[in-house]
Amino acid sequence: MVQTKTLHRLGSVVKGVNPSVLLFVAAIIAIILANSPLKDMYFTILDSPVNVKIGEYSLFSHHGQTMSLQHFVNDALMAIFFFVIGLEIKKEIMIGELSSARKALLPIIAALGGIVMPVLFFFLVAHEAPAVRGAAIPMATDIAFALAVLSLLGRRVPVALKIFLTALAVVDDIGGILVIAIFYTSHIAWTPLLLGFLLLGICYLLGRKGLDKSYIYYLIGFGVWTLFLSSGVHTTISGVLLALTIPARATVRLPELMSSMKEMVSKFEPTYEGGVGSDFISHEKLITLRKMEKRVERTISPVQFMEHDLHPLVNYLILPLFAFVNSGVTFGGITLSELASVPFAIFLGLFFGKTLGIFGFTYAFLRMGVVRLPSGMTRRNLFGVSIFGGIGFTVSLFIANLSYGPLGEVGTALLNQAKIGVFAGTFVSGVVGYFVLAKILKKEERIRMTHLKY
């Protein structure tokens, strides 16, 4: 409980501020600094070493090299982000929109279209090495940004549309995770990788035995992260795999909680006397209250408890920091031929590829009768929300770093171009999606009111 309160202070400090706004502001600050007289200072900050030592052991080093701030954010903090994504995926599979084949089929089909078509659009423009390494960049949908823009339309948005976009983004995340695991892993060191899987197996068995202490899972998670870092498999995969081993069932069920609460509450006599002494209780009652506290905690499954625990850390610190260290695109020296290559390929993939893929695949399977739209969704508003799939900020930038980061000077130039494409595709998808869907929803509301009138 103390752990939860500590993490949630992050949220209370910026209470009322949408996390997407912080992400956007951090990105704008990075772009301004990268194109100002302070750009040398900005890039020096990104290269600053993050060195935490316990004796002779350095916590954040890779093959003897101390991590820079940028590597620390991308390889360490983003593992926590992907851990939370993994928890969300597990929750959706257990009780959400992916909990049955009937529920999952619609978002899976839509997500497949949103994965395949952006890659094809990218290939149309950039199909030669090394630019082609970034073909997966426009695959991703940033669920936080997409839902934030969608929320601007207010109560007119059907609940089914929000659920569809959320489930679509979850499946989209699964696709992105598989791409990272398969295509951005090289030179595997098998010993640390096997030890990492051994720890994951231990974590799974502990969950099966009913362990619900989150700090144990965090400690095991750090060990798994360290081993994956040494193995050559990207550390974000360790976060997702760890999340899938966390137990999703509470050790105390609600009926049991209600029964035991009644019994423990009955031990407190309803006597109250004013004064300072009334703020203190007997030792026996203190023990009872602590038992009640622990019993309430055990009514929340570890998956839900840890997801709730980490959300403020991810939303208000990790993602804004990620945006700050990865959004520093420089516009000086960019030629038209360069803009027509990687940036244009990513823009096409995000704006056109995502829209046509999500809507086209879904529409085709609707016509074949394989899937049906839930109540509140129509083919018109499906088209509108499909445009939001092109909002690919966070994970797109992350994959861009994996694609071009290891290529030296050539990679630095391509990464800078990729950022321009991600920003352009995300911005246009957000703005166009908002106005198109607003118009569609307004028209549908007018038709609905006409039907009610008659």
Side-chain angles (χ1 to χ4, degrees):
M1 189 69 78
V2 173
Q3 183 186 53
T4 306
K5 289 178 181 177
T6 303
L7 286 172
H8 277 266
R9 286 197 188 104
L10 282 166
S12 62
V13 169
V14 285
K15 189 177 180 181
V17 178
N18 191 307
S20 298
V21 173
L22 292 179
L23 202 64
F24 179 74
V25 170
I28 294 299
I29 292 172
I31 293 170
I32 292 171
L33 288 175
N35 293 277
S36 74
L38 298 173
K39 66 178 180 181
D40 290 337
M41 181 193 74
Y42 170 72
F43 288 110
T44 300
I45 291 172
L46 299 191
D47 291 332
S48 301
V50 176
N51 197 5
V52 179
K53 281 192 171 184
I54 299 176
E56 293 300 314
Y57 178 70
S58 181
L59 290 180
F60 304 113
S61 66
H62 188 209
H63 297 307
Q65 298 292 318
T66 301
M67 285 185 179
S68 66
L69 175 63
Q70 187 167 25
H71 286 132
F72 171 73
V73 172
N74 292 341
D75 292 343
L77 295 186
M78 286 302 282
I80 300 174
F81 167 70
F82 276 89
F83 175 69
V84 172
I85 285 180
L87 293 174
E88 291 172 350
I89 289 171
K90 182 156 187 174
K91 192 169 73 172
E92 285 295 318
I93 291 172
M94 295 294 293
I95 59 170
E97 291 303 302
L98 306 180
S99 60
S100 69
R102 183 180 61 82
K103 285 183 177 181
L105 193 56
L106 182 66
I108 286 174
I109 288 169
L112 285 175
I115 288 171
V116 173
M117 291 302 289
V119 174
L120 294 178
F121 270 89
F122 186 97
F123 275 130
L124 287 175
V125 176
H127 47 266
E128 295 180 357
V132 73
R133 283 175 57 92
I137 295 171
M139 282 174 45
T141 297
D142 190 314
I143 182 59
F145 257 136
L147 287 176
V149 179
L150 189 65
S151 68
L152 296 176
L153 293 166
R155 295 181 179 179
R156 287 180 293 173
V157 181
V159 174
L161 214 55
K162 295 178 183 178
I163 293 172
F164 170 77
L165 183 59
T166 304
L168 162 70
V170 169
V171 179
D172 198 86
D173 284 335
I174 295 172
I177 289 161
L178 290 174
V179 166
I180 292 170
I182 296 168
F183 296 104
Y184 295 103
T185 294
S186 59
H187 310 299
I188 296 177
W190 289 103
T191 300
L193 183 62
L194 291 174
L195 288 173
F197 274 103
L198 178 62
L199 275 184
L200 288 171
I202 292 170
C203 191
Y204 173 76
L205 290 174
L206 289 174
R208 295 283 293 179
K209 291 292 183 180
L211 180 74
D212 57 3
K213 303 295 183 185
S214 57
Y215 68 89
I216 298 293
Y217 294 116
Y218 290 139
L219 288 173
I220 293 174
F222 180 76
V224 173
W225 174 83
T226 303
L227 290 165
F228 269 67
L229 183 67
S230 301
S231 73
V233 177
H234 201 274
T235 53
T236 53
I237 302 302
S238 70
V240 177
L241 292 176
L242 178 70
L244 297 179
T245 67
I246 305 299
R249 295 190 182 279
T251 50
V252 176
R253 300 299 175 87
L254 277 175
E256 297 173 39
L257 175 70
M258 298 302 292
S259 175
S260 60
M261 284 293 112
K262 286 178 182 177
E263 183 182 338
M264 285 188 274
V265 167
S266 65
K267 296 179 181 179
F268 291 84
E269 297 176 3
T271 56
Y272 177 81
E273 296 177 3
V276 178
S278 63
D279 293 327
F280 295 89
I281 59 176
S282 68
H283 180 68
E284 289 75 16
K285 289 180 179 178
L286 177 60
I287 291 173
T288 303
L289 284 173
R290 294 300 299 271
K291 284 181 180 178
M292 292 169 71
E293 181 185 38
K294 289 178 181 178
R295 202 136 183 90
V296 169
E297 282 187 16
R298 296 182 70 193
T299 311
I300 307 169
S301 72
V303 162
Q304 194 170 8
F305 188 88
M306 295 172 82
E307 182 192 3
H308 181 72
D309 219 17
L310 291 173
H311 258 302
L313 183 66
V314 169
N315 289 337
Y316 296 109
L317 180 63
I318 292 176
L319 288 182
L321 192 54
F322 171 83
F324 178 76
V325 303
N326 289 286
S327 299
V329 59
T330 54
F331 297 107
I334 298 288
T335 64
L336 283 176
S337 62
E338 288 173 338
L339 286 175
S341 180
V342 170
F344 188 53
I346 294 171
F347 172 78
L348 283 179
L350 285 173
F351 183 58
F352 291 102
K354 275 289 186 181
T355 303
L356 295 177
I358 293 169
F359 180 75
F361 272 53
T362 308
Y363 183 79
F365 280 86
L366 283 170
R367 288 296 297 258
M368 289 187 288
V370 177
V371 293
R372 290 188 301 174
L373 292 177
S375 177
M377 277 187 70
T378 66
R379 292 176 183 179
R380 286 192 184 93
N381 62 38
L382 169 65
F383 175 75
V385 84
S386 296
I387 303 173
F388 284 84
I391 300 174
F393 186 78
T394 306
V395 183
S396 289
L397 285 178
F398 185 77
I399 295 177
N401 273 285
L402 295 179
S403 302
Y404 301 130
L407 299 181
E409 289 187 15
V410 173
T412 300
L414 289 173
L415 179 57
N416 193 63
Q417 294 169 34
K419 290 176 182 178
I420 294 173
V422 171
F423 294 152
T426 294
F427 179 76
V428 173
S429 296
V431 172
V432 173
Y434 173 84
F435 285 108
V436 168
L437 189 57
K439 187 174 182 179
I440 290 170
L441 292 176
K442 188 175 181 180
K443 185 176 181 180
E444 288 183 345
E445 189 175 16
R446 191 163 59 245
I447 292 171
R448 206 162 42 243
M449 294 302 292
T450 302
H451 286 165
L452 289 172
K453 189 174 180 180
Y454 293 99

